[in-house]
Amino acid sequence: MVLLSAGPGDLELLTLKAARALAQAEVLLLDELVNPQIVELAPQARVVRVGKRGGCRSTPQAFICRLMRRYALQGLRVVRVKGGDALMFGRAGEEIAFLREAGVPVRIVNGISAAFAAAASLGVSLTHREHCHGITFVTAHTADHGEPDWEALARSGTTLAIYMGMGRIASIAAGLLRHLPGTTPVAIVQAASQPDEARLCVELRDLARTAPERAGAPGVILVGGALATAQADAAGARAAPLLRAASA
């Protein structure tokens, strides 16, 4: 059983190890946010779509786990495909534990997470030593649907990479403004590395006004001094409009 990271969407960013696993796959369990063209790299595989997306109808996690177990125990080469890096804010921990309990060995193939793809697109180092001493990855909502500890995050002195926050921009901005200067640079990148990528670079005080709530399409929010040199788009062509709505 392979837990495979599909990266941010650009299939050229897949690792060689990922490409080999896909070529050998007999069953492909495909997440919602994965580039659909990835199936072309798995010509032998039966494709089962097990989409999960916030705010939309999703395949129950327990059902996905049972599918993985069923196909793996049949002796098939099963590849569970997740967007970004499989170990970043997905349900990988639950799936690994479930499969190990069932006696199914799991091999993990890492990939590029959205924050790194966004940083490459913006042309910035998220750990620029003149601006910060690290990076903190955080989800915009906790398991109990509460708010992160924005004060602690602000005091960390790190670049913040905020995932799953596109529907909570106003509360994120309000929480951070209580502890960070309004001039703190912020960048949002949606669909990083993909042809329809969209970007926004603003100051924290302008975030809620410039980036409307419930922007729909997934994106990553980057906050901190390291974003000071980020460019929304050198030519201005791909930056507008930012914040694409989710597809109907």
Side-chain angles (χ1 to χ4, degrees), residues 35-248:
N35 184 334
Q37 294 179 336
I38 201 170
V39 299
E40 297 172 11
L41 301 178
Q44 307 176 66
R46 173 186 176 185
V47 179
V48 182
R49 302 184 187 279
V50 287
K52 295 180 74 66
R53 179 179 288 202
C56 303
R57 290 189 62 183
S58 299
T59 307
Q61 183 62 45
F63 179 73
I64 295 172
C65 287
R66 290 196 299 271
L67 276 181
M68 290 190 296
R69 179 180 61 188
R70 179 197 307 169
Y71 290 127
L73 292 179
Q74 289 174 5
L76 298 171
R77 291 190 293 269
V78 184
V79 178
R80 168 80 165 109
V81 184
K82 292 173 171 284
D85 187 276
L87 303 181
M88 183 75 75
F89 295 126
R91 299 292 184 90
E94 298 170 38
E95 293 175 358
I96 293 167
F98 181 90
L99 290 167
R100 285 177 176 167
E101 187 174 339
V104 175
V106 182
R107 182 161 60 92
I108 298 166
V109 178
N110 293 111
I112 295 174
S113 192
F116 297 111
S121 178
L122 293 165
V124 300
S125 167
L126 298 178
T127 55
H128 195 304
R129 63 181 183 176
E130 293 182 7
H131 298 287
C132 64
H133 56 257
I135 180 169
T136 300
F137 300 95
V138 60
T139 175
H141 49 89
T142 60
D144 60 1
H145 304 290
E147 289 278 326
D149 186 341
W150 295 120
E151 181 180 7
L153 290 168
R155 284 193 287 104
S156 69
T158 63
T159 300
L160 303 182
I162 304 172
Y163 287 66
M164 295 174 281
M166 297 304 293
R168 298 190 174 206
I169 287 175
S171 63
I172 291 169
L176 288 174
L177 278 169
R178 288 194 289 270
H179 311 289
L180 288 175
T183 54
T184 302
V186 178
I188 300 177
V189 181
Q190 291 178 290
S193 83
Q194 300 178 51
D196 58 346
E197 177 185 292
R199 314 173 203 164
L200 176 70
C201 298
V202 295
E203 293 183 339
L204 181 57
R205 60 190 171 192
D206 297 321
L207 178 62
R209 175 181 59 81
T210 313
E213 192 82 2
R214 298 244 162 252
V220 62
I221 303 168
L222 303 172
V223 182
L227 281 303
T229 60
Q231 297 296 314
D233 192 270
R238 289 195 298 168
L242 179 80
L243 304 190
R244 300 177 293 107
S247 300

